[in-house]
Amino acid sequence: MAGRPREFDRDIALRKARDLFWERGYEGVSMSDLTAKLGLASARIYAAFGSKEALFREAVALYEAQEGAFAAKALSEACSVSEAIKRLFIDAIDLYTRKGAPRGCMVVSSATNCSNENDSVREWLAGHRRSRTATILERLQKAERMGELPPGTDADSLGDLYATALHGISVQARDGVSKKRLLAMLPPLLSLLESR
């Protein structure tokens, strides 16, 4: 005898939860918010996802596999380091300023500060941000080894600066800074690759 089919599409529910967490952050979303957004009783949400934190972690994984994958793609596919960094920022600004969607980066804005009881979420997201910084550093270190950067370039400091700029752009986009203004930062950021 076949089991009773689920009355909801888990993937759709996960996308709705992702957007809610992206917009309001981890602590800004209550279980009642989730039940209203997903159209499910809390018992059904717990049965499908385990807990609010487990749902959040799965929502972040979905974001990183889809929208947030732009960074790894830009850093691994672009030919030159200059093209990679340019594409990284253009793709970030495009994503962070989309109309009709949450603004900024989900990983940057979901939990920079948390109550003690949610410290594991804050630290988990900080690990994700450190990982993004590491991918930028690795791309610049590779460029340094390949002779793409001027002699004497401090690839690590430059990578930290670019990661800080990327995270700052997320905050500015969330604050409503226009796409045009954010794109205007690109020439000075990219000039650092040539002027070191």
Side-chain angles (χ1 to χ4, degrees):
M1 183 171 155
R4 197 176 84 183
R6 288 183 181 234
E7 296 169 13
F8 70 98
D9 185 316
R10 191 179 190 283
D11 292 336
I12 291 172
L14 180 59
R15 285 195 300 273
K16 287 179 179 179
R18 175 205 56 202
D19 290 349
L20 189 60
F21 284 125
W22 191 352
E23 183 181 333
R24 297 189 194 171
Y26 181 72
E27 288 194 347
V29 173
S30 66
M31 277 308 293
S32 61
D33 295 328
L34 287 167
T35 59
K37 182 75 171 181
L38 277 56
L40 299 168
S42 58
R44 296 294 307 275
I45 294 172
Y46 286 123
F49 298 101
S51 67
K52 176 186 165 185
E53 183 174 336
L55 173 56
F56 175 73
R57 288 176 184 250
E58 202 171 326
V60 170
L62 177 65
Y63 169 82
E64 290 187 326
Q66 295 181 350
E67 295 88 353
F70 74 88
K73 191 172 181 181
L75 294 169
S76 65
E77 292 181 2
C79 298
S80 72
V81 69
S82 180
E83 289 170 5
I85 296 299
K86 181 178 182 180
R87 184 168 164 200
L88 171 72
F89 280 102
I90 288 173
D91 290 354
I93 292 166
D94 284 346
L95 173 63
Y96 299 166
T97 60
R98 289 182 310 167
K99 293 197 184 323
R103 295 177 68 90
C105 171
M106 182 180 186
V107 174
V108 169
S109 59
S110 286
T112 51
N113 294 309
C114 283
S115 61
N116 290 341
E117 67 195 46
N118 293 318
D119 203 44
S120 64
V121 171
R122 183 201 54 76
E123 183 52 39
W124 180 72
L125 285 171
H128 283 258
R129 292 188 294 271
R130 287 190 293 269
S131 178
R132 173 65 49 82
T133 298
T135 60
I136 296 170
L137 290 171
E138 287 164 13
R139 182 62 183 94
L140 289 165
Q141 290 162 352
K142 177 183 174 186
E144 186 178 28
R145 288 192 306 273
M146 302 294 288
E148 283 187 85
L149 296 175
T153 299
D154 182 349
D156 289 351
S157 294
L158 189 57
D160 285 336
L161 177 64
Y162 282 138
T164 300
L166 188 65
H167 295 156
I169 285 170
S170 170
V171 173
Q172 287 194 300
R174 221 171 150 78
D175 288 347
V177 175
S178 71
K179 181 176 182 176
K180 182 179 178 181
R181 275 185 62 194
L182 295 174
L183 287 170
M185 287 188 252
L186 284 183
L189 282 169
L190 294 172
S191 72
L192 297 171
L193 292 170
E194 291 120 30
S195 63
R196 309 282 298 170

